[in-house]
């Protein structure tokens, strides 16, 4: 066994960040030991990572690291007194003041010094370094003095275009000086960025007013008449007139003490150490930038902190050893975002590079992955580093999605889960793992991100890990039963699951009642559809009944899928993918009569495309007469049950998958849920129906059925996981009933089953205990909720056709019911009609109308409808001199009107958007891509990644007889 011991007298030479980390870790240990930390600077250890903050006003006290470490009676801090000599035989060190200290173990944490190349004139007044607090003071004083002496703006140059060089250049600018960066390599941050990232960074820093010279060296610093810096000569032959030069050309380990005492030194300098950080003298250790491990001296605080932890462990007989982790770097204090980690140059054999560059947004993102595109090897981010903190902990691990998904526009489509393994290092600066962060919540009682940072030191150095840290803390708090704000929107201060529970157990059955009891305001495009879904899940009437129609979003608004030109697709149900020849003939004839585009959908169904709003009821009537019903392809509900032919036809089938698929589809049709869900049934293990790619997957076995849950295809595919196996048919249905009912109760808005299963407290084992084992005794209750839906199911198409009031919503223009959208146009492609692209952009105010553009006469007025024709909080269309206008009746009977044309898509669809409010002002949300406008002013409040486009507004008033008068 390893000997358990306690250190005696420990002396640390150096009082920087790594020495402070060492002291922190030692103070946390029991024992009768004594620590002395000796620093040559006159300051207690301070935050060198944020050194630039001293330029912009931070004081020495602001940068000083946690001083409580020095309050421990076993610890002594000595500042302003450098160690001059080391006597290894006597185990003593002697300081500049003559003080002699004995040690049992000596830790060298002497750091590094700023290296300046042998450049003529480098010793002139005005040639400075950028490394310490005193350096910052000298730079500030020099710039201020020269500005007074010269009576003009000080001209500065920084030699070195790395991280510190760019920070130094930004510091000069903050002091009012100009800055030119001179870099010998062909790009900025040459060690951390690839060519593309370096060029993107050059563009961004140029925008900040920095001049950049790459592939250039500084050959000579020239003096002026007063002997101070006046010029800088470059290898290109260019001469720069400068008044201050800052060298930031690299660092070298401070290893003089070790060399003079005969310790082993690395090939490139630094105290030679092994995995335990022990030097060639068993009583002397080295940590941080002065240590050479594998002939490399780390220039970052993270590996230094890791070394400090190792030495403390070793001093107490512990097993910890040091392994150099791949570096990660984040640019700070420059006003430009740049970060990288791992193998940025893709030097790993077989490495693949996946890159996305947006010259308009001026962003550059690259991931380096293994040859099978699964394992993350590195990343480069310039202009937008939002992914850096969440992806860096996955270095060397599976990404879990297509790499390109992370780099997609609008910030990426494959967010990293907080459910990281406990051993993943989240904060590399403080070497804090995901498990330690969770433990701070579950074992140490931390109840906020701030408390976790104090407890673990995660996120307290460079801060780049804070977004992921926050996510892990919040998830851990939720799992520990601690309240975390999860307001759905400004109108409801609770999650969708909490609101569902309140509505399910309460008596409120309209949106106005629900928002009055549990929320505030008029609602919005977030909460109104959620309430609509909840009411539908509880079986509260038809989705287009008057008190629910105004809540329905996009597809549910007219019970069909909205397409890019404002028309709709119609997808009837075909349970299990089965359809008779007679029904096929009817489907084909209907599509031909209405001139619609037809195709087989990805869910094994037939779809018609290009149906206008006014055509939908007529198409449905003919489909219903032919034996079809709504396929629910538009709703957040069951989309379809995909299946193979199973034992009915296939020679490999072991169960009748087709019959089971039909049974499941007819049972769950129309079941509204937080997100759409899909089911697959395979007749054998050959899995032809791809059931494990579905929210609920059923696979036949010789003994019955296996059921899998939490799968999906799409942008972030995930295989479903086994919930139960070898079930008989009735038990299978009961298990699926319980799963879906529990999902509907507790999932967040728009949360598919895959992340819901992944995030469920206790994971799949807990779900199995609740659903399969009925541990909590709620199985019958969950089954009853589904059974109520089955008994109350009504085909939404047929119910609409049977109600004249509902059919009125399908009239495109109230004052011209026979008119159609003037901007729809089609061309033939492969024998079928496809839409001609609409032109986006602002609405014209001139006369006339053409495809994709609408214009309004300078002055026009007309009565377009009656107030009673408008459903409160729901839009309707009207024509004003042939131009489509969207009308909205608010709950207080005011009528507001804006252009019908969505300026971002060009489609005439805004009357089909969701009415709501933002900070009390009425809004409309486009059904296309969710842009939001102020209904009173037409101001674009949320352009969703686009340049804002205002809406034209119209004056609408209601006269004494209830007529609505519209005026341009």
């Amino acid at each position: 066994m390893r000997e358990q011991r306690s250190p005696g007298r420990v002396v640390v030479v150096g009082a920087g960040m790594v020495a402070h980390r060492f002291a922190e870790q030692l103070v946390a240990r029991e024992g009768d030991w004594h620590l002395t930390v000796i620093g040559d600077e006159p300051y207690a250890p301070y935050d060198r990572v944020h050194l630039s903050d001293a330029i912009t006003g931070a004081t020495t006290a602001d940068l000083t690291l946690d001083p409580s470490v020095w309050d421990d009676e076993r610890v002594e801090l000595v500042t302003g007194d450098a160690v001059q000599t080391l006597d290894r035989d006597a185990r003593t060190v002697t300081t500049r003041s003559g003080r002699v200290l004995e040690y049992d173990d000596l830790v060298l944490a002497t750091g590094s010094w700023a290296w300046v190349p042998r450049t003529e004139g480098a010793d002139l007044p005005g040639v400075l370094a950028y490394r310490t607090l005193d350096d910052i003071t000298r730079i500030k004083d020099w710039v201020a003095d020269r500005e007074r002496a010269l009576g003009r703006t000080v001209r500065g140059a920084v030699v070195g275009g790395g991280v510190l060089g760019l920070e130094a250049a930004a510091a000069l600018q903050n002091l009012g000086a100009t800055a030119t960066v001179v870099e010998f390599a062909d790009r900025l941050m040459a060690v951390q960025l690839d060519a593309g990232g370096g060029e993107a960074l050059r563009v961004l820093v140029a925008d900040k007013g920095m001049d950049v010279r790459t592939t250039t060296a500084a050959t000579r610093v020239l003096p002026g008449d007063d002997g101070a810096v006046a010029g800088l000569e470059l290898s290109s032959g260019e001469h720069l007139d400068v008044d201050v030069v800052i060298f930031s050309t690299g660092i070298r380990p401070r290893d003089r003490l070790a060399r003079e005492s005969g310790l082993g030194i690395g090939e490139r300098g630094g105290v030679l150490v092994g995995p335990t950080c022990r030097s060639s003298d068993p009583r002397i250790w080295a940590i941080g930038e002065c240590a050479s491990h594998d002939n490399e001296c780390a220039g970052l605080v993270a590996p230094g902190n890791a070394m400090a932890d190792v030495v403390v462990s070793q001093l107490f007989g512990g097993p910890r050893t040091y392994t150099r982790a791949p570096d990660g770097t984040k640019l700070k204090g420059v006003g430009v975002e740049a970060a990288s980690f791992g193998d940025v140059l893709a030097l790993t054999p077989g490495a693949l590079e996946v890159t996305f560059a947006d010259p308009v947004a001026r962003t550059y993102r690259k991931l380096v992955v293994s040859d099978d595109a699964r394992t993350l090897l590195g990343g480069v981010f310039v202009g937008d580093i939002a992914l850096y903190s969440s992806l860096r902990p996955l270095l060397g691990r599976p990404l879990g999605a297509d790499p390109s998904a992370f780099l997609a526009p609008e910030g990426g489509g494959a967010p990293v889960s907080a459910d990281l393994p406990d051993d993943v290092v989240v904060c590399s600066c403080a070497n804090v793992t995901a498990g330690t962060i969770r433990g701070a919540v579950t074992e140490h009682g931390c109840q906020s991100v701030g408390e976790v940072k104090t407890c673990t030191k995660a996120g307290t150095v460079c801060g780049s890990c804070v977004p992921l840290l926050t996510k892990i803390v919040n998830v851990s708090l939720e799992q520990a039963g601690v309240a975390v704000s999860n307001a759905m929107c400004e109108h409801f201060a609770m999650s969708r699951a909490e609101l569902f529970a309140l509505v399910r157990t309460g008596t409120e059955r309209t949106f106005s009642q629900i928002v009055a009891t549990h929320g505030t305001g008029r609602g919005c495009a977030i909460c109104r559809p959620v309430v609509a879904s909840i009411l539908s899940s509880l079986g509260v009437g038809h989705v287009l009944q008057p008190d629910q129609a105004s809540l329905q979003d996009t597809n549910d608004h007219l019970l069909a899928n909205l397409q890019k030109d404002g028309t709709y697709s119609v997808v009837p149900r075909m349970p299990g993918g089965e359809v008779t020849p007679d029904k096929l003939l009817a489907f084909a004839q209907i599509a031909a009569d209405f001139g619609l585009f037809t195709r087989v959908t990805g869910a094994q169904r037939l779809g018609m495309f290009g149906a206008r709003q006014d055509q939908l009821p007529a198409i449905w009537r003919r489909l219903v007469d032919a034996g079809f019903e709504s396929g629910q392809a538009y709703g957040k509900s069951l989309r379809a049950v995909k299946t193979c032919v199973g034992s009915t036809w296939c020679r490999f089938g072991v169960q009748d998958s087709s019959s089971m698929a039909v049974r499941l589809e007819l049972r769950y049709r129309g079941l509204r849920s937080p997100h759409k869900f899909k089911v697959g049934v395979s007749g054998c293990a050959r899995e032809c129906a791809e059931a494990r790619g579905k929210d609920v997957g059923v696979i036949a076995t010789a003994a019955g059925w296996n059921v899998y849950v939490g799968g999906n295809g799409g942008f972030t595919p995930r295989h479903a996981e086994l919930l139960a196996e070898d079930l008989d048919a009735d038990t299978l249905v009961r298990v699926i009933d319980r799963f879906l009912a529990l999902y509907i109760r507790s999932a967040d808005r728009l949360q598919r089953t895959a992340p819901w299963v992944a995030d469920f407290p206790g994971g799949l084992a807990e779900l199995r205990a609740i659903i399969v084992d009925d541990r909590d005794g709620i199985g019958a209750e969950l089954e009853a909720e589904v059974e109520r839906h089955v008994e109350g199911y009504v085909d939404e198409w047929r119910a609409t056709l049977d109600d004249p009031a509902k059919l009125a919503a399908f009239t495109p223009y109230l004052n011209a019911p026979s008119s159609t959208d003037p901007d729809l146009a089609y061309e033939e492609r492969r024998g079928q009609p496809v839409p001609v692209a609409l032109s986006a952009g602002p609405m014209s105010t001139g006369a006339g109308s053409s495809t994709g553009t609408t214009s309004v006469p300078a002055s026009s007025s007309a009565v377009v409808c009656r107030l009673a024709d408008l459903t409160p909080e729901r839009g309707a269309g009207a024509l004003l001199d042939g131009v489509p206008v969207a009308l909205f009746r608010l709950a207080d009977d005011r009528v507001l009107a804006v252009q019908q044309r969505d300026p971002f898509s060009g489609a005439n669809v805004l009357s089909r958007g969701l009415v709501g409010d933002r900070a009390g002002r009425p809004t409309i949300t486009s059904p296309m891509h969710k842009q939001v406008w102020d209904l009173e002013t037409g101001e674009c409040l949320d352009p969703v990644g686009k340049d804002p486009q205002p809406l034209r507004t119209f004056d609408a008033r209601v006269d004494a007889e209830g007529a609505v008068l519209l005026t341009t």
Side-chain angles (χ1 to χ4, degrees), residues 842-850 853-860 880-884 899 901 952 954 968:
M843 184 177 180
S844 170
T845 57
S849 177
S850 60
T853 62
T854 53
S855 55
V856 179
S859 179
S860 185
L880 183 60
D881 284 346
V883 175
Q899 68 188 63
R901 182 171 176 268
R952 177 161 184 169
F954 299 82
T968 57

PDB file of all heavy atoms in Angstrom, residues 842-850 853-860 880-884 899 901 952 954 968:
ATOM      1  N   PRO A 842     -39.157  44.809 -48.386  1.00  0.00           N
ATOM      2  CA  PRO A 842     -40.184  45.726 -47.901  1.00  0.00           C
ATOM      3  C   PRO A 842     -41.323  45.877 -48.896  1.00  0.00           C
ATOM      4  O   PRO A 842     -41.171  45.665 -50.098  1.00  0.00           O
ATOM      5  CB  PRO A 842     -39.418  47.036 -47.714  1.00  0.00           C
ATOM      6  CG  PRO A 842     -38.260  46.937 -48.653  1.00  0.00           C
ATOM      7  CD  PRO A 842     -37.888  45.478 -48.674  1.00  0.00           C
ATOM      8  N   MET A 843     -42.469  46.274 -48.389  1.00  0.00           N
ATOM      9  CA  MET A 843     -43.673  46.437 -49.212  1.00  0.00           C
ATOM     10  C   MET A 843     -43.615  47.754 -49.956  1.00  0.00           C
ATOM     11  O   MET A 843     -43.256  48.796 -49.418  1.00  0.00           O
ATOM     12  CB  MET A 843     -44.903  46.393 -48.314  1.00  0.00           C
ATOM     13  CG  MET A 843     -46.224  46.446 -49.051  1.00  0.00           C
ATOM     14  SD  MET A 843     -47.569  46.303 -47.875  1.00  0.00           S
ATOM     15  CE  MET A 843     -48.958  46.385 -48.990  1.00  0.00           C
ATOM     16  N   SER A 844     -43.957  47.707 -51.202  1.00  0.00           N
ATOM     17  CA  SER A 844     -43.974  48.916 -52.021  1.00  0.00           C
ATOM     18  C   SER A 844     -45.184  49.754 -51.678  1.00  0.00           C
ATOM     19  O   SER A 844     -46.231  49.251 -51.284  1.00  0.00           O
ATOM     20  CB  SER A 844     -44.004  48.550 -53.509  1.00  0.00           C
ATOM     21  OG  SER A 844     -44.258  49.685 -54.294  1.00  0.00           O
ATOM     22  N   THR A 845     -45.077  51.071 -51.858  1.00  0.00           N
ATOM     23  CA  THR A 845     -46.218  51.960 -51.629  1.00  0.00           C
ATOM     24  C   THR A 845     -46.790  52.482 -52.930  1.00  0.00           C
ATOM     25  O   THR A 845     -47.705  53.294 -52.928  1.00  0.00           O
ATOM     26  CB  THR A 845     -45.800  53.155 -50.749  1.00  0.00           C
ATOM     27  OG1 THR A 845     -44.718  53.837 -51.387  1.00  0.00           O
ATOM     28  CG2 THR A 845     -45.366  52.677 -49.385  1.00  0.00           C
ATOM     29  N   GLY A 846     -46.236  52.041 -54.052  1.00  0.00           N
ATOM     30  CA  GLY A 846     -46.746  52.488 -55.346  1.00  0.00           C
ATOM     31  C   GLY A 846     -47.905  51.648 -55.798  1.00  0.00           C
ATOM     32  O   GLY A 846     -48.336  50.715 -55.152  1.00  0.00           O
ATOM     33  N   ALA A 847     -48.458  51.966 -56.975  1.00  0.00           N
ATOM     34  CA  ALA A 847     -49.598  51.230 -57.499  1.00  0.00           C
ATOM     35  C   ALA A 847     -49.147  49.954 -58.159  1.00  0.00           C
ATOM     36  O   ALA A 847     -48.017  49.818 -58.600  1.00  0.00           O
ATOM     37  CB  ALA A 847     -50.364  52.094 -58.499  1.00  0.00           C
ATOM     38  N   GLY A 848     -50.084  49.019 -58.226  1.00  0.00           N
ATOM     39  CA  GLY A 848     -49.820  47.792 -58.965  1.00  0.00           C
ATOM     40  C   GLY A 848     -49.487  46.644 -58.068  1.00  0.00           C
ATOM     41  O   GLY A 848     -49.274  46.773 -56.879  1.00  0.00           O
ATOM     42  N   SER A 849     -49.394  45.435 -58.665  1.00  0.00           N
ATOM     43  CA  SER A 849     -49.069  44.217 -57.945  1.00  0.00           C
ATOM     44  C   SER A 849     -48.426  43.255 -58.902  1.00  0.00           C
ATOM     45  O   SER A 849     -48.774  43.191 -60.059  1.00  0.00           O
ATOM     46  CB  SER A 849     -50.336  43.591 -57.352  1.00  0.00           C
ATOM     47  OG  SER A 849     -50.038  42.386 -56.716  1.00  0.00           O
ATOM     48  N   SER A 850     -47.397  42.533 -58.426  1.00  0.00           N
ATOM     49  CA  SER A 850     -46.752  41.531 -59.255  1.00  0.00           C
ATOM     50  C   SER A 850     -46.336  40.384 -58.371  1.00  0.00           C
ATOM     51  O   SER A 850     -46.376  40.484 -57.154  1.00  0.00           O
ATOM     52  CB  SER A 850     -45.534  42.123 -59.980  1.00  0.00           C
ATOM     53  OG  SER A 850     -44.588  42.591 -59.042  1.00  0.00           O
ATOM     54  N   THR A 853     -44.468  40.619 -54.867  1.00  0.00           N
ATOM     55  CA  THR A 853     -44.456  41.978 -54.340  1.00  0.00           C
ATOM     56  C   THR A 853     -45.876  42.502 -54.310  1.00  0.00           C
ATOM     57  O   THR A 853     -46.701  42.188 -55.167  1.00  0.00           O
ATOM     58  CB  THR A 853     -43.593  42.921 -55.200  1.00  0.00           C
ATOM     59  OG1 THR A 853     -44.153  42.977 -56.521  1.00  0.00           O
ATOM     60  CG2 THR A 853     -42.168  42.440 -55.271  1.00  0.00           C
ATOM     61  N   THR A 854     -46.187  43.297 -53.314  1.00  0.00           N
ATOM     62  CA  THR A 854     -47.494  43.929 -53.247  1.00  0.00           C
ATOM     63  C   THR A 854     -47.302  45.409 -53.005  1.00  0.00           C
ATOM     64  O   THR A 854     -46.384  45.816 -52.300  1.00  0.00           O
ATOM     65  CB  THR A 854     -48.345  43.329 -52.115  1.00  0.00           C
ATOM     66  OG1 THR A 854     -47.593  43.381 -50.900  1.00  0.00           O
ATOM     67  CG2 THR A 854     -48.718  41.899 -52.405  1.00  0.00           C
ATOM     68  N   SER A 855     -48.149  46.210 -53.591  1.00  0.00           N
ATOM     69  CA  SER A 855     -48.052  47.657 -53.421  1.00  0.00           C
ATOM     70  C   SER A 855     -49.432  48.220 -53.152  1.00  0.00           C
ATOM     71  O   SER A 855     -50.445  47.661 -53.537  1.00  0.00           O
ATOM     72  CB  SER A 855     -47.439  48.303 -54.655  1.00  0.00           C
ATOM     73  OG  SER A 855     -48.154  47.946 -55.812  1.00  0.00           O
ATOM     74  N   VAL A 856     -49.466  49.336 -52.459  1.00  0.00           N
ATOM     75  CA  VAL A 856     -50.716  49.932 -52.017  1.00  0.00           C
ATOM     76  C   VAL A 856     -50.839  51.333 -52.594  1.00  0.00           C
ATOM     77  O   VAL A 856     -49.869  52.095 -52.579  1.00  0.00           O
ATOM     78  CB  VAL A 856     -50.764  49.995 -50.468  1.00  0.00           C
ATOM     79  CG1 VAL A 856     -52.046  50.626 -49.983  1.00  0.00           C
ATOM     80  CG2 VAL A 856     -50.630  48.606 -49.898  1.00  0.00           C
ATOM     81  N   PRO A 857     -51.993  51.686 -53.107  1.00  0.00           N
ATOM     82  CA  PRO A 857     -52.190  53.062 -53.577  1.00  0.00           C
ATOM     83  C   PRO A 857     -51.924  54.049 -52.457  1.00  0.00           C
ATOM     84  O   PRO A 857     -52.091  53.752 -51.267  1.00  0.00           O
ATOM     85  CB  PRO A 857     -53.666  53.074 -53.999  1.00  0.00           C
ATOM     86  CG  PRO A 857     -54.006  51.638 -54.273  1.00  0.00           C
ATOM     87  CD  PRO A 857     -53.176  50.847 -53.315  1.00  0.00           C
ATOM     88  N   ALA A 858     -51.497  55.223 -52.822  1.00  0.00           N
ATOM     89  CA  ALA A 858     -51.117  56.221 -51.825  1.00  0.00           C
ATOM     90  C   ALA A 858     -52.264  56.547 -50.885  1.00  0.00           C
ATOM     91  O   ALA A 858     -52.058  56.838 -49.719  1.00  0.00           O
ATOM     92  CB  ALA A 858     -50.623  57.487 -52.519  1.00  0.00           C
ATOM     93  N   SER A 859     -53.521  56.499 -51.355  1.00  0.00           N
ATOM     94  CA  SER A 859     -54.656  56.801 -50.503  1.00  0.00           C
ATOM     95  C   SER A 859     -55.842  55.963 -50.939  1.00  0.00           C
ATOM     96  O   SER A 859     -56.217  55.958 -52.116  1.00  0.00           O
ATOM     97  CB  SER A 859     -55.015  58.287 -50.585  1.00  0.00           C
ATOM     98  OG  SER A 859     -56.138  58.576 -49.776  1.00  0.00           O
ATOM     99  N   SER A 860     -56.407  55.221 -49.991  1.00  0.00           N
ATOM    100  CA  SER A 860     -57.551  54.385 -50.309  1.00  0.00           C
ATOM    101  C   SER A 860     -58.308  54.099 -49.035  1.00  0.00           C
ATOM    102  O   SER A 860     -57.726  54.021 -47.952  1.00  0.00           O
ATOM    103  CB  SER A 860     -57.091  53.075 -50.959  1.00  0.00           C
ATOM    104  OG  SER A 860     -58.193  52.310 -51.379  1.00  0.00           O
ATOM    105  N   LEU A 880     -57.751  45.533 -50.067  1.00  0.00           N
ATOM    106  CA  LEU A 880     -57.923  46.971 -50.199  1.00  0.00           C
ATOM    107  C   LEU A 880     -57.387  47.373 -51.564  1.00  0.00           C
ATOM    108  O   LEU A 880     -56.174  47.370 -51.791  1.00  0.00           O
ATOM    109  CB  LEU A 880     -57.165  47.700 -49.085  1.00  0.00           C
ATOM    110  CG  LEU A 880     -57.327  49.224 -49.056  1.00  0.00           C
ATOM    111  CD1 LEU A 880     -58.797  49.603 -48.870  1.00  0.00           C
ATOM    112  CD2 LEU A 880     -56.474  49.836 -47.944  1.00  0.00           C
ATOM    113  N   ASP A 881     -58.310  47.644 -52.490  1.00  0.00           N
ATOM    114  CA  ASP A 881     -57.933  47.916 -53.874  1.00  0.00           C
ATOM    115  C   ASP A 881     -57.055  46.801 -54.441  1.00  0.00           C
ATOM    116  O   ASP A 881     -56.037  47.059 -55.102  1.00  0.00           O
ATOM    117  CB  ASP A 881     -57.206  49.264 -53.984  1.00  0.00           C
ATOM    118  CG  ASP A 881     -58.171  50.435 -53.887  1.00  0.00           C
ATOM    119  OD1 ASP A 881     -59.393  50.209 -53.996  1.00  0.00           O
ATOM    120  OD2 ASP A 881     -57.700  51.569 -53.692  1.00  0.00           O
ATOM    121  N   GLY A 882     -57.446  45.568 -54.142  1.00  0.00           N
ATOM    122  CA  GLY A 882     -56.741  44.417 -54.679  1.00  0.00           C
ATOM    123  C   GLY A 882     -55.495  44.016 -53.919  1.00  0.00           C
ATOM    124  O   GLY A 882     -54.840  43.026 -54.272  1.00  0.00           O
ATOM    125  N   VAL A 883     -55.145  44.733 -52.865  1.00  0.00           N
ATOM    126  CA  VAL A 883     -53.932  44.442 -52.094  1.00  0.00           C
ATOM    127  C   VAL A 883     -54.311  43.713 -50.806  1.00  0.00           C
ATOM    128  O   VAL A 883     -55.180  44.180 -50.051  1.00  0.00           O
ATOM    129  CB  VAL A 883     -53.165  45.734 -51.767  1.00  0.00           C
ATOM    130  CG1 VAL A 883     -51.969  45.428 -50.868  1.00  0.00           C
ATOM    131  CG2 VAL A 883     -52.708  46.405 -53.049  1.00  0.00           C
ATOM    132  N   PRO A 884     -53.694  42.552 -50.499  1.00  0.00           N
ATOM    133  CA  PRO A 884     -54.026  41.801 -49.279  1.00  0.00           C
ATOM    134  C   PRO A 884     -53.616  42.541 -48.010  1.00  0.00           C
ATOM    135  O   PRO A 884     -52.488  43.051 -47.905  1.00  0.00           O
ATOM    136  CB  PRO A 884     -53.238  40.505 -49.440  1.00  0.00           C
ATOM    137  CG  PRO A 884     -52.940  40.400 -50.902  1.00  0.00           C
ATOM    138  CD  PRO A 884     -52.754  41.810 -51.362  1.00  0.00           C
ATOM    139  N   GLN A 899     -49.938  44.994 -43.355  1.00  0.00           N
ATOM    140  CA  GLN A 899     -49.838  44.299 -44.637  1.00  0.00           C
ATOM    141  C   GLN A 899     -49.956  42.791 -44.433  1.00  0.00           C
ATOM    142  O   GLN A 899     -49.495  42.249 -43.425  1.00  0.00           O
ATOM    143  CB  GLN A 899     -48.513  44.642 -45.310  1.00  0.00           C
ATOM    144  CG  GLN A 899     -47.289  44.089 -44.587  1.00  0.00           C
ATOM    145  CD  GLN A 899     -45.973  44.595 -45.146  1.00  0.00           C
ATOM    146  OE1 GLN A 899     -45.696  45.783 -45.100  1.00  0.00           O
ATOM    147  NE2 GLN A 899     -45.168  43.682 -45.709  1.00  0.00           N
ATOM    148  N   ARG A 901     -48.552  40.630 -46.434  1.00  0.00           N
ATOM    149  CA  ARG A 901     -47.325  40.026 -46.970  1.00  0.00           C
ATOM    150  C   ARG A 901     -46.227  39.967 -45.911  1.00  0.00           C
ATOM    151  O   ARG A 901     -45.881  40.978 -45.299  1.00  0.00           O
ATOM    152  CB  ARG A 901     -46.842  40.828 -48.175  1.00  0.00           C
ATOM    153  CG  ARG A 901     -45.604  40.290 -48.848  1.00  0.00           C
ATOM    154  CD  ARG A 901     -45.366  41.050 -50.151  1.00  0.00           C
ATOM    155  NE  ARG A 901     -44.142  40.627 -50.786  1.00  0.00           N
ATOM    156  CZ  ARG A 901     -42.960  41.219 -50.590  1.00  0.00           C
ATOM    157  NH1 ARG A 901     -42.877  42.265 -49.792  1.00  0.00           N
ATOM    158  NH2 ARG A 901     -41.881  40.775 -51.195  1.00  0.00           N
ATOM    159  N   ARG A 952     -46.043  47.667 -43.085  1.00  0.00           N
ATOM    160  CA  ARG A 952     -46.901  48.817 -43.323  1.00  0.00           C
ATOM    161  C   ARG A 952     -48.178  48.638 -42.513  1.00  0.00           C
ATOM    162  O   ARG A 952     -48.787  47.564 -42.503  1.00  0.00           O
ATOM    163  CB  ARG A 952     -47.243  48.950 -44.798  1.00  0.00           C
ATOM    164  CG  ARG A 952     -48.199  50.121 -45.055  1.00  0.00           C
ATOM    165  CD  ARG A 952     -48.214  50.576 -46.465  1.00  0.00           C
ATOM    166  NE  ARG A 952     -49.073  51.739 -46.622  1.00  0.00           N
ATOM    167  CZ  ARG A 952     -49.124  52.473 -47.713  1.00  0.00           C
ATOM    168  NH1 ARG A 952     -48.364  52.170 -48.747  1.00  0.00           N
ATOM    169  NH2 ARG A 952     -49.940  53.505 -47.784  1.00  0.00           N
ATOM    170  N   PHE A 954     -52.157  50.058 -41.411  1.00  0.00           N
ATOM    171  CA  PHE A 954     -53.329  50.706 -41.996  1.00  0.00           C
ATOM    172  C   PHE A 954     -54.229  51.189 -40.861  1.00  0.00           C
ATOM    173  O   PHE A 954     -54.288  50.562 -39.785  1.00  0.00           O
ATOM    174  CB  PHE A 954     -54.103  49.728 -42.885  1.00  0.00           C
ATOM    175  CG  PHE A 954     -53.304  49.195 -44.039  1.00  0.00           C
ATOM    176  CD1 PHE A 954     -52.434  48.130 -43.860  1.00  0.00           C
ATOM    177  CD2 PHE A 954     -53.419  49.749 -45.298  1.00  0.00           C
ATOM    178  CE1 PHE A 954     -51.693  47.629 -44.916  1.00  0.00           C
ATOM    179  CE2 PHE A 954     -52.683  49.257 -46.362  1.00  0.00           C
ATOM    180  CZ  PHE A 954     -51.817  48.197 -46.178  1.00  0.00           C
ATOM    181  N   THR A 968     -55.679  53.555 -45.955  1.00  0.00           N
ATOM    182  CA  THR A 968     -54.210  53.551 -46.060  1.00  0.00           C
ATOM    183  C   THR A 968     -53.641  54.780 -45.383  1.00  0.00           C
ATOM    184  O   THR A 968     -54.307  55.816 -45.279  1.00  0.00           O
ATOM    185  CB  THR A 968     -53.775  53.565 -47.524  1.00  0.00           C
ATOM    186  OG1 THR A 968     -54.322  54.697 -48.196  1.00  0.00           O
ATOM    187  CG2 THR A 968     -54.209  52.297 -48.201  1.00  0.00           C
TER     188      THR A 968
END
